[in-house]
Amino acid sequence: MRYAYYTLAFVVVLLLSVMGFRGMTSTRPPIEVFPDMDHQAKYKPQAHSEFFADGRADRPLPAGVIPRGRSAGEPDAAFLRADDFRYQGKNADGSFARGFPADLVISREFIERGQSRYTIYCAPCHGALGDGNGITKSYGMLVTPTYHDERLRAMAEGEIFNTITHGKNTMFSYADKIAPDDRWAVIAYVRALQRAHNAKIDDVPLDQRQGLK
Ligand code: HEC
C-alpha cells in the first residue's frame, strides 16, 4: 500500500512539472541550459554605437567602393546578371533567345568544358550520345527524351538554357550545380551531339572519307 502512495505522489509531481505551468508567463529571462550563441557582442543593423564619434553602428562606405557586379571603369554599368540572354536565355520581349550570348566565344575548349559538365550531370539520364539511353533507363526512368528528334533540334538555345536552369517535369533544376556560362557550354555540346548524329558524308573531310564507306 505504501508504494501506491509513493507512486501517486511521483505521478502528481511528474504531471505538475510537465504540464502544470503551461501557459504561464514570466518576465524573468528563461533558464538557458545551452546558450549556444544567443548573446553576441555585435551590432544589429542601424543600431547605436558609443564607439564611433557619429554614434552610428553602420559605417559609411570607404571612398572608391564599387558595388558588386560593376567594374571600376564603369561604376554606372548594369548590375551583374542584368543580361537576360546570358542569364535567362530570353530576349527582351520574354521569348526564348536563339544562338549564344555574344560575350561567349564558342571555341573547342568551351565545347570540351560543356562535354565534361554534360558527362557529369546529363549523361546519366540523357546518355553519352544524347539519345536518352542513360544508365537511369535500366533503373526505370523511361521518359528521358532523345535530343535527336525534330523538336529538340529546332528548340531555341535559350529554351534549353531554361530547362537546365529550372528543370522540366521529372527533370530537376541544375541551376545550383552548373554555373550560367557552363550551361551555355553544355548547350554547345548538346548542339555538337545533335550535329554529329545527323552528319552527312559531306561533313567528313575528303581525305578521311575512304575508311567510312
Ligand atoms: C534525372 C535525369 C535527368 C538528368 C540528369 C537530366 N535530364 Fe534532361 N530530361 C529528363 C527528363 C525525364 C526529361 C523529359 C521532361 C519532360 O518533358 O517531361 C528531360 C528533358 C530535357 C530536355 C527537353 C526539354 C523539353 O522542353 O522537352 C532537355 C533539352 C534536357 N532535358 C536537357 C538536359 C541537360 C542539358 C541536362 C544536364 C544539365 C539534363 N537534361 C539532365 C531527365 C534528366
Side-chain angles (χ1 to χ4, degrees), residues 7 56 58 66 77 115 150 153 158-159 165 189-190:
T7 314
R56 295 189 294 169
D58 294 346
I66 298 154
Q115 178 180 25
E150 270 316 306
R153 284 191 336 126
E159 187 166 358
T165 308
Y189 185 66
V190 167

Side-chain angles (χ1 to χ4, degrees), residues 115 118-119 122-135 148 189 193:
Q115 178 180 25
Y118 179 88
T119 310
C122 319
C125 293
H126 287 278
L129 304 176
D131 54 5
N133 288 321
I135 183 74
H148 306 303
Y189 185 66
L193 285 176

Side-chain angles (χ1 to χ4, degrees), residues 4 6 10 30 33 52-53 57 59 61 112 144 147 149-150 153 176 182 208-209:
Y6 287 154
F10 178 71
V33 184
F52 297 106
R59 304 317 302 151
L61 298 178
E112 280 171 358
T144 315
Y147 295 144
D149 66 10
E150 270 316 306
R153 284 191 336 126
D176 58 338
D182 279 350
Q208 290 173 22
R209 282 186 200 176

Side-chain angles (χ1 to χ4, degrees), residues 117-118 120-126 136 141-147 151-152 155 159-161 163-164 168-172 174 178 183 186-187 190:
R117 299 302 95 184
Y118 179 88
I120 295 169
Y121 294 113
C122 319
C125 293
H126 287 278
T136 52
M141 184 133 197
L142 303 177
V143 288
T144 315
T146 167
Y147 295 144
R151 191 178 67 88
L152 284 175
M155 182 175 276
E159 187 166 358
I160 303 180
F161 186 91
T163 299
I164 302 176
K168 192 174 184 202
N169 299 329
T170 30
M171 175 179 152
F172 26 56
Y174 284 84
I178 309 177
R183 285 173 225 160
V186 167
I187 296 165
V190 167

Side-chain angles (χ1 to χ4, degrees), residues 90-108:
K90 290 187 176 164
N91 296 313
D93 63 1
S95 61
F96 288 120
R98 291 199 172 267
F100 288 81
D103 301 348
L104 301 179
V105 182
I106 314 296
S107 60
R108 186 186 182 95

